[in-house]
Every structure is written in structure tokens, then in C-alpha cells.
Amino acid sequence: MPELVEVKEIVCLVDSSNALGVLNVAVDSLLFHTYDGPEINYGHLRDALWVRISLENKTEDVQQFYLSSDQVILEDVRFYDKRDSVWTEEKSGWGLPALKKKTPSYLQAFRLDFLPRQEKTFYLRIKNEYQVVRLPLHVFKKEQFYGHYGLYVFLDGLVIMALITSILYAIYNLIFSRKDRILFYYLLYAVNFLLFYWIRIASPAHILEAYPQVLNFFVTIFIFTSTFAFVKFGIRFVDPDREDKKKHIEGLIDFLFGLTVLVSLFPQYSDWVAFNSIKLTFFVGSILYLVWYMCIRFRKSFLTRIYFFMALPLILSGLVEGLTNIFGILKIPNQFFEAFRVSICIEMLYILFAFIYREKILTSKIESKLKQTEFQLLRSQIDAQESEQKRIAEDLHDDLGGTLSTLKRYIYDNLLGKVAKDEAQLIKKLTKKAGDDLRRISHALMPPEFESTGLSESIKELVRSNHTETRKMQFLQHGEVKKLHSSLELNIYRIVSEIVQNINKHSKATKVLVQFIWTKEELTLMLEDNGSDFRNVESGMGMKNMQMRAEYIGGLLNFDSNGIESTITLEVPLQ
């Protein structure tokens, strides 16, 4: 608001003695110096920092402004304003209930009263034990300040809602869906991030009693835990089968995480360089490992590309936020962190949607593998059947066929002349029937020269061999006949053969019509009769065999019967 208020001076003083009061610093202006940078940031400063701010009301009216800092983690903030020649002190800082502050806000905010054209000097004293001393400062009109603060509270609500949604989603899937470890890591990440965000950022606006300052130190454990869980989640997201797993690196990250949590339990050593180096190594190393992992998986996996573009902004912004507000290494302007809240909301929802999409992809992959397994099982069963039927057919033809032939010759040579003429005719009829039955059964088990004759000719022979005076069978073809794969032809033949056998055994049909309808896209088999009933087709080994073979060749087998007539169709795709 340059038209209302002018900043005349902002200078700083680091009090290494931690003993100076406002009366000491107010009388010696030479103690202060101008801070070299766009924003006051002293990193992990354990000494008291004094900031002198001189402002001038440029209007002819009495004005009320608000001096505010969005750095909510400042632990002990004192504001000094000279009123009636006496310095007044106002306290603020992290952990103080917003409702108990003179300016009810979890921001470090103080009211400034000006007379027309008045120039005033104010002092801020900041003393941190555990957190970074970063002091972005803003001057607002009253309505602007509460609009600014209200926006922060609103964004906090969105962040918390996004985190709670993620937590509920993970819990629901852990209970009712797959017990996947990735869900555990996602839940661990969301819970710890929620605890961190609620305790450090949002809750001071709602609490009634002050937090102990040491809690601000322990909250970083939630940050490190959520970082660890997020890295584990991200790796498993982009590489579900762990094809590129680097066991030694991940083992080192696990060790560093445990060590980081351990050293974070001792606030009295918060300024030890060795302890802070462990934390920094874990934090930066684990995030860089995740980014590197995504890069090597980028061209291999579609899931990685989705996750890369959705999660990378959150990963990098989280890295910058940590290096600035946890470790005090970077000095990033406060505008970045104003956008950080928005990015958290968007990225959490993006990651949640990406996770849901990943589950769909993995589910489809699992279903595809199950179908492949079922297909292989069907193929094994069918191959076993074919092998067994071929063996039985050969045994019938070679062993039983030979025995029957020998028996027939023996009867003809030695017995027919010793019995009555009627009995001889009966013996001839029975021996002929036995030979015909053996040939029919053997051919049904394994048609002779099936591969050379093909499907159509084999079906013609099947229909001819089952044609009788009492049950007339006919075979018709329509369209251009195609040569199919031998396995496909054999399975179609088996289905037709099974249907014909069922008609022979259980039907009173006198007419049976078998039709092949050929098109470019599919072969349709239609078998119609006037005496069978296929309304209860679920039971029976033969029916299950037909369904299994139809499924194996990708066909659709349908039975339509009214108890008197039946129509059976088999649709087999040819493309």
C-alpha cells in the first residue's frame, strides 16, 4: 500500500548476548544494520534477533494498519510500540492460542495505529530455539489483513480435507480390498502429514491452551516419517513389480530414517551439526532417490509418466520447503509458500486420482494374468483329453479291433457251421455290429486322418456314420469354406461330436440338421433336431466339456430348447 504507508527503514540486530531489552536497542541506532536480501532470513539462528521498522502514514487521516508475518513457526515473538512515551510489549509466537492474542490470528500479526502524517518506529524481537528464523513481513489495512488470514484458514481446511479423504480411502481399501503394502505407506504418509500440518500450522487457530515450544521440535518427526512413507509409496507406485529395486540404497535410506527419528528425540542437541547432517542427508537423499527412480522408470512404465507429472511438483516444492523452513539452507521468498498450500491440495487430489487409476491398471493386469492362467489351464485339460482320447482310440483299433477280428474269424471258421441257420445269422449280425460300433467309437475319439481331411469332411463323415433309417442326419454348408488352424478345427469337431452323441443317447429325434455358415468374421454352427431337450445343460461332463472347448476357442455356445425341438448354436470368431 505505497499510497497509504511508506516503509522508511527495516534494519536488523543479532543479540548474541540474548540480554538486550527494548530500552537498550532503542537508544543506540548504530547497533542495527541493513539486511542484505529480499527477505529477512537468518536460518538456524539461536541468538535473539531484533528488527527495527520505521513506517510513515502518508495520508491526512488517522490510519490503522497490521504488521504481519506468515512465518507461523517463530517461537517467541515480541512486538514493541511506543505509546505515550512508554514502550508497550505484545507477545506472539507459535503455540500461543490465537484467541488469546491481541490480534486473534495464528500469524505473527500486530496492530499499528497512526496519526495523520505520523512516522513511527517499532521493534520486533524473535528468539527461536529449534526452528528457522525467517521473517517475511507485510503491512495490511484491517480488511486486507483479515481477508489474507481468512484465505490461509480456508486453504488449511482444504489441505486437511484432502488429507482426511486420502486417509479414509487408504483405510477403506486396506479393510475391504487388497492388503497391498503400498496402501500402508500411503496411509502412513497421509496420517503423518496430517499430524504435522494440524499441529504446526492449523491447530493454533483453535486451541485454548498454549503448546510447549518443544513440541515444535518433535513435530519434525512427522515430517521425516511422511517423507519416508512418501518415498516408499512413490517407488512402489511407479514400479509395482520392483524390477529396478536397488536393495542397498533402500536399505541405507531405511537406516538413515531410523537414525533421523532417533536423533530427533533429543531437543537439547538440536544445534549439533552431526545430528542436523544426518537429518539433511536422509531428507535430501531419499527425495533425490525417488526422483532418480522415476527418471529411470519414465520410458518403461505408463504409470511412472502419470506419477511423474502429477507428483513431481509436490516433491520439488516439498524439498524446497524443507530446505528453507526445516534446515534453513535456502532463502526462498514467501510467495512460494503462499502457493505451497494450494499445491498441497491439488497434488494430494492428483496423487489420489493417480493411485485410483493405478489400481485399475493393476487390477486389469491381474485379470489378464488370471485369464491367461485359465486359458493355459483349459489348454492343458484339452491337450490331456486329446492325448488320452488318441491313446484310447489307438488301443481300441489296435488291441480290441484285432481281438474282435480274430474272434470273428474264429467264429466264422469253427462255429457257424455247427449252429442253426437263424443263430448263424444272429451271430453274423452281432459281430458286424460290434465291428461297426468299435469303428464308430474309435473314429469319434480320434477321426482318422483328421488333419488331412479337414473339418468339413470330418463332419460329413461323422454325420454319415450316425445316419440311420430311424434318425436321418444331414449336413449343409453356406458361404466360402476356409481352412482353419488344426487345433481350432479339432475343438469344433469335438463339440459337434459331443452334441451328436448326446442326441444318440438321450434324444427321440428323427431328424437332425447340422449347418456351417461361413462369413469373413465368424463361423456359425447350427445344429437342429426335432426330439431333444437341452433346457438343463449345466450338469453333465459332456456339457461341461463343450463349454470348456467353446471358451478355449473364444466361441459362444448357446442352447435353445422348448422340450420338443432344440437349436444349438456355436459362434466362432475367425479374426
Side-chain angles (χ1 to χ4, degrees), residues 151-165:
L151 176 62
Y152 270 35
V153 173
F154 172 72
L155 292 176
D156 290 343
L158 290 182
V159 171
I160 291 170
M161 286 177 60
L163 289 167
I164 291 175
T165 300

Side-chain angles (χ1 to χ4, degrees), residues 190-471:
V191 167
N192 277 274
F193 198 89
L194 176 63
L195 289 172
F196 154 76
Y197 198 89
W198 172 254
I199 294 174
R200 175 168 285 185
I201 307 297
S203 64
H206 309 282
I207 61 176
L208 299 177
E209 297 296 331
Y211 285 148
Q213 288 298 326
V214 72
L215 180 61
N216 202 10
F217 173 82
F218 289 124
V219 164
T220 56
I221 295 177
F222 297 131
I223 281 289
F224 295 132
T225 304
S226 65
T227 301
F228 173 77
F230 187 81
V231 170
K232 292 287 188 179
F233 165 78
I235 291 171
R236 281 162 176 78
F237 187 101
V238 302
D239 188 10
D241 299 324
R242 309 295 281 117
E243 296 174 353
D244 293 306
K245 178 181 179 181
K246 300 297 182 287
K247 186 176 180 181
H248 298 301
I249 297 178
E250 293 186 24
L252 179 61
I253 290 174
D254 294 345
F255 173 75
L256 286 173
F257 169 66
L259 201 58
T260 297
V261 172
L262 180 63
V263 300
S264 298
L265 297 175
F266 302 97
Q268 63 271 31
Y269 305 121
S270 63
D271 57 345
W272 277 28
V273 174
F275 282 11
N276 287 323
S277 297
I278 292 171
K279 298 176 186 178
L280 180 62
T281 302
F282 161 73
F283 183 75
V284 176
S286 59
I287 292 177
L288 292 181
Y289 176 66
L290 175 58
V291 174
W292 173 81
Y293 206 101
M294 290 192 298
C295 290
I296 65 171
R297 293 285 303 172
F298 189 84
R299 298 186 65 181
K300 298 180 181 179
S301 167
F302 179 64
L303 282 174
T304 303
R305 293 190 286 275
I306 292 175
Y307 189 79
F308 186 89
F309 291 111
M310 286 188 171
L312 192 62
L314 180 61
I315 295 170
L316 295 181
S317 60
L319 178 63
V320 171
E321 201 279 339
L323 292 177
T324 303
N325 283 330
I326 296 177
F327 297 101
I329 296 174
L330 298 181
K331 296 183 178 182
I332 303 298
N334 193 62
Q335 288 82 352
F336 172 86
F337 302 100
E338 292 176 353
F340 185 57
R341 286 175 166 85
V342 179
S343 72
I344 291 174
C345 299
I346 296 174
E347 295 298 334
M348 284 298 299
L349 293 177
Y350 274 173
I351 291 172
L352 182 59
F353 292 146
F355 185 69
I356 294 172
Y357 184 71
R358 171 189 180 273
E359 291 298 296
K360 288 184 178 180
I361 291 178
L362 291 182
T363 300
S364 69
K365 285 185 177 180
I366 291 172
E367 290 175 352
S368 177
K369 288 182 179 179
L370 286 175
K371 286 183 179 179
Q372 289 179 4
T373 303
E374 290 175 0
F375 182 82
Q376 291 172 355
L377 181 60
L378 283 175
R379 183 171 183 174
S380 298
Q381 290 176 331
I382 290 171
D383 288 347
Q385 282 187 3
E386 292 297 335
S387 177
E388 185 65 12
Q389 287 181 336
K390 184 177 181 181
R391 184 190 63 79
I392 294 173
E394 290 174 350
D395 289 348
L396 287 174
H397 182 272
D398 297 340
D399 297 338
L400 185 56
T403 302
L404 278 177
S405 180
T406 303
L407 179 61
K408 178 180 178 181
R409 178 50 46 200
Y410 180 82
I411 291 173
Y412 274 45
D413 291 345
N414 299 294
L415 298 179
L416 281 184
K418 300 178 181 180
V419 298
K421 186 177 181 180
D422 292 343
E423 291 177 343
Q425 290 295 328
L426 179 60
I427 290 172
K428 288 181 179 180
K429 183 178 180 180
L430 290 175
T431 53
K432 183 178 183 302
K433 185 178 185 303
D436 291 343
D437 288 346
L438 175 62
R439 191 178 302 106
R440 178 177 54 81
I441 294 170
S442 178
H443 288 184
L445 287 169
M446 179 53 66
E449 300 178 356
F450 179 84
E451 291 188 4
S452 61
T453 58
L455 175 62
S456 297
E457 292 301 320
S458 297
I459 295 295
K460 285 180 183 178
E461 177 61 25
L462 176 67
V463 169
R464 187 199 63 76
S465 63
N466 284 275
H467 177 86
T468 65
E469 290 297 323
T470 58
R471 179 172 290 127

Side-chain angles (χ1 to χ4, degrees), residues 22 50 77-81 86-91 125:
V22 66
W50 287 87
V77 181
R78 311 286 177 94
F79 174 73
Y80 297 93
D81 182 11
V86 177
W87 288 102
T88 61
E89 181 185 79
E90 183 179 339
K91 292 184 179 180
R125 180 185 183 273

